[in-house]
Amino acid sequence: NLILTGCLFCGPLFLTFSFLNTVAIAYSATAALPFGTIIVIILIWALVTSPLLVLGGIAGKNSNTEFQAPCRTTKYPREIPQMPWYRSTIPQMAMAGFLPFSAIYIELYYIFASIWGHKIYTIYSILFIVFIILIIVTAFVTVALTYFQLAVEDHKWWWRSVLCGGSTGIFIFFYCIYYYHARSDMSGFMQTSFFFGYMTCVCYGFFLMLGTVGFRASLLFVRHIYRSIKCE
């Protein structure tokens, strides 16, 4: 778990950064970080991030307890009935990602214009409110889809909740493609690689963050509804 936690996001980010920095050096661009700055970043990761990761693993191991089911369970899982196509994973991911994305769609334009354009972003209070709305909508939509999944006797909800919660990151990546072709003036291999390289990492980070939100919200919901079941 420690290795997975340490490499799940930092690994792809480091590989992407190494490739893009090599491209910037090949083009003699000012976006290339000097060797000393790279060493400082590696030292920060080694001396700050890694020890905190180990401390978190030790704390998690010491606070580990046996899993307590909210109600009595059976030893053998029930057979999952045949589902219609719109109850499969991909259609539910599309439904789960569209609503949170529609809540942040307008704000994304201003953020992209500030990062990749020449505009200055100043409305941080609105950005914070939109972020809270994104978290709440993602949690509610994932909980609703988990309930619909359990209602048709499909008990394998855990990875489905992660995929449905994180599907907003896929919509953000599609918006990146639209922004690059319709709104930006970028061209050439270097600009294209920088834009899609770093935005892919951002979308992947959103997928992990919102997938965690969806799973935690679904877990709390499942434990709450099954705790009310009376064992006979």
Side-chain angles (χ1 to χ4, degrees):
N1 284 334
L2 287 177
I3 296 175
L4 180 62
T5 303
C7 299
L8 191 61
F9 181 74
C10 293
L13 180 63
F14 177 75
L15 294 177
T16 304
F17 166 77
S18 301
F19 171 75
L20 295 180
N21 202 61
T22 303
V23 171
I25 293 174
Y27 278 84
S28 300
T30 57
L33 292 181
F35 181 74
T37 305
I38 298 176
I39 295 298
V40 170
I41 294 175
I42 294 176
L43 289 176
I44 291 175
W45 178 82
L47 300 177
V48 178
T49 304
S50 297
L52 290 177
L53 179 65
V54 174
L55 289 176
I58 295 173
K61 183 177 183 298
N62 292 334
S63 62
N64 186 29
T65 57
E66 292 293 333
F67 175 75
Q68 298 294 333
C71 64
R72 189 174 58 185
T73 60
T74 59
K75 295 182 179 180
Y76 304 101
R78 297 181 61 179
E79 182 180 359
I80 301 175
Q82 187 69 27
M83 301 293 174
W85 65 270
Y86 55 85
R87 290 189 180 273
S88 59
T89 303
I90 295 180
Q92 286 203 348
M93 288 177 63
M95 290 186 290
F98 177 75
L99 287 177
F101 175 77
S102 63
I104 64 172
Y105 169 75
I106 298 177
E107 202 68 20
L108 279 179
Y109 169 76
Y110 297 102
I111 296 175
F112 275 58
S114 175
I115 296 176
W116 301 106
H118 303 284
K119 296 183 180 181
I120 299 176
Y121 192 85
T122 57
I123 47 177
Y124 294 101
S125 58
I126 303 299
L127 178 62
F128 178 73
I129 295 173
V130 171
F131 175 73
I132 298 299
I133 293 174
L134 173 65
I135 297 297
I136 295 174
V137 172
T138 301
F140 283 175
V141 170
T142 310
V143 166
L145 291 176
T146 301
Y147 173 76
F148 294 149
Q149 184 178 355
L150 293 175
V152 293
E153 301 180 4
D154 185 357
H155 53 83
K156 296 183 178 181
W157 59 269
W158 40 91
W159 279 112
R160 181 79 63 86
S161 64
V162 174
L163 295 175
C164 289
S167 59
T168 306
I170 301 176
F171 278 81
I172 297 176
F173 182 76
F174 287 147
Y175 179 81
C176 294
I177 299 175
Y178 164 75
Y179 182 88
Y180 177 82
H181 290 288
R183 298 292 181 89
S184 71
D185 298 326
M186 289 182 283
S187 61
F189 177 75
M190 180 180 170
Q191 289 184 337
T192 303
S193 61
F194 262 72
F195 179 81
F196 283 105
Y198 283 123
M199 290 313 301
T200 300
C201 290
V202 171
C203 295
Y204 177 58
F206 266 93
F207 181 87
L208 294 178
M209 177 185 67
L210 297 178
T212 304
V213 170
F215 172 75
R216 293 298 302 179
S218 297
L219 178 62
L220 293 175
F221 170 74
V222 170
R223 293 186 69 90
H224 175 73
I225 61 174
Y226 281 97
R227 191 179 290 116
S228 61
I229 295 178
K230 304 300 182 180
C231 296
E232 297 179 356

